[in-house]
Every structure is written in C-alpha cells, then in structure tokens.
Amino acid sequence: MAPGPFAGPQAQQAAREVNTASLCRIGQETVQDIVYRTMEIFQLLRNMQLPNGVTYHTGTYQDRLAKLQDHLRQLSILFRKLRLVYDKCNENCGGMDPIPVEQLIPYVEEDGSKDDRAGPPRFASEERREIAEVNKKLKQKNQQLKQIMDQLRNLIWDINAMLAMRN
C-alpha cells in the first residue's frame, strides 16, 4: 500500500502540534467523561447492597465491586489526562498578555465614533447609571409636556364652551 501525501515527517510534526482550541475541546470532552463515569459510579453504589449479614450472592457482589473499581481506575486516568491538558493549555498561553475585560467590550462614544482604545475604558455600571439619569430626565420632560397638553386641552374646552354660550 502506498503512503499517503501526509505520511512524511511533516504529518507527524502536525500531529504532535495541537493548538489550544483543540486542547480545550479535548478538555471539555474529558470533563464530560468524568461526569459520566461519576454518575455511573453513583448508580453502581446505589444498586449495591451492603454486606450487613443479609444473604447475598458473592458472585454478584464481586462483579459489582470489580465494576466499581474499574470505574474508579478509569476516573483516575481521566483526571490525570485533564491535568495534562490543563498544563499544556497553560504552557501554550503562558506568553500571552491578558487583555482587560473592559477593553473587550466595544461601546459608542457621544460623537458617534467607535472606541479606538485611546481614552480610559468606561465601565458598564457607569453607562447604566448615565442611562438611568437620562431616563429620569426624559420622564420629567414627558410629565411637563403632558401637563402643558392638559392645560391646552382645558383652555380649548373653555374657549369652545364660551363660543357655544355666545351663540
């Protein structure tokens, strides 16, 4: 059988190099396996009877005990695998400078231009407070407008009533 186009040393090197995203995916799958195995262990423990003097089949008990020990061994292996993935991710991300969370959230300035990270970052709580103040002022203005419209309506009503009395 002829070797494929990727059977050379380049393919082996590519197989050894795993990027951080695929490591995270492997870690996620490992955590899911750990949860699944843990659920199986609890299921086995729930179904297992304690040898408290009650007659039980030693074969069934030994079989369940062997399954439990096998699950615990596999769980231990999965935790070691997760630790390796975690260490490798930390090693790959070790040279990266963490970006502050405030810089990851874009916002629009008052003049309509986008944030170019030149000024100090604005926090969401500050923006929320400003929005609350603007809403409060807007409600006050709406209340004033409503009062003016009510006064105009009453004035027009009075004028119409006087015109009706005149005729």
Side-chain angles (χ1 to χ4, degrees):
M1 204 167 168
F6 296 110
Q10 293 174 346
Q12 292 173 352
Q13 183 181 8
R16 281 187 219 136
E17 293 179 16
V18 181
N19 64 8
T20 306
S22 61
L23 279 175
C24 290
R25 183 184 49 79
I26 291 169
Q28 179 184 4
E29 292 170 357
T30 304
V31 168
Q32 289 172 347
D33 289 344
I34 288 171
V35 169
Y36 177 73
R37 293 284 181 193
T38 305
M39 287 174 38
E40 286 182 350
I41 288 172
F42 283 122
Q43 184 70 27
L44 281 172
L45 289 173
R46 186 173 62 194
N47 293 334
M48 189 178 285
Q49 283 185 343
L50 295 175
N52 55 2
V54 179
T55 309
Y56 62 93
H57 295 89
T58 56
T60 306
Y61 176 75
Q62 293 298 330
D63 183 43
R64 288 182 179 171
L65 184 62
K67 283 182 184 179
L68 181 63
Q69 289 173 343
D70 182 49
H71 282 305
L72 288 172
R73 184 182 51 79
Q74 290 176 354
L75 194 61
S76 175
I77 291 170
L78 287 171
F79 271 110
R80 280 185 261 155
K81 179 181 176 183
L82 185 63
R83 173 49 98 173
L84 289 173
V85 168
Y86 175 78
D87 290 340
K88 187 66 176 173
C89 282
N90 277 343
E91 179 184 312
N92 288 349
C93 297
M96 296 179 152
D97 291 330
I99 299 171
V101 178
E102 293 85 15
Q103 290 182 355
L104 296 175
I105 302 173
Y107 66 93
V108 178
E109 300 237 4
E110 286 77 22
D111 60 357
S113 63
K114 288 218 174 211
D115 178 25
D116 57 355
R117 308 219 193 289
R122 290 176 41 186
F123 296 103
S125 60
E126 291 175 10
E127 288 183 9
R128 189 176 301 123
R129 184 177 40 80
E130 290 175 6
I131 289 172
E133 289 175 9
V134 168
N135 282 340
K136 184 178 177 183
K137 290 179 182 177
L138 185 62
K139 285 181 183 179
Q140 289 174 349
K141 291 292 183 183
N142 283 342
Q143 187 67 27
Q144 289 175 352
L145 285 174
K146 184 181 180 300
Q147 288 174 354
I148 291 171
M149 288 188 318
D150 287 341
Q151 288 174 357
L152 282 173
R153 188 177 303 116
N154 287 336
L155 182 64
I156 291 172
W157 181 268
D158 289 341
I159 291 172
N160 286 337
M162 287 196 297
L163 287 174
M165 296 283 276
R166 195 169 153 200
N167 291 336

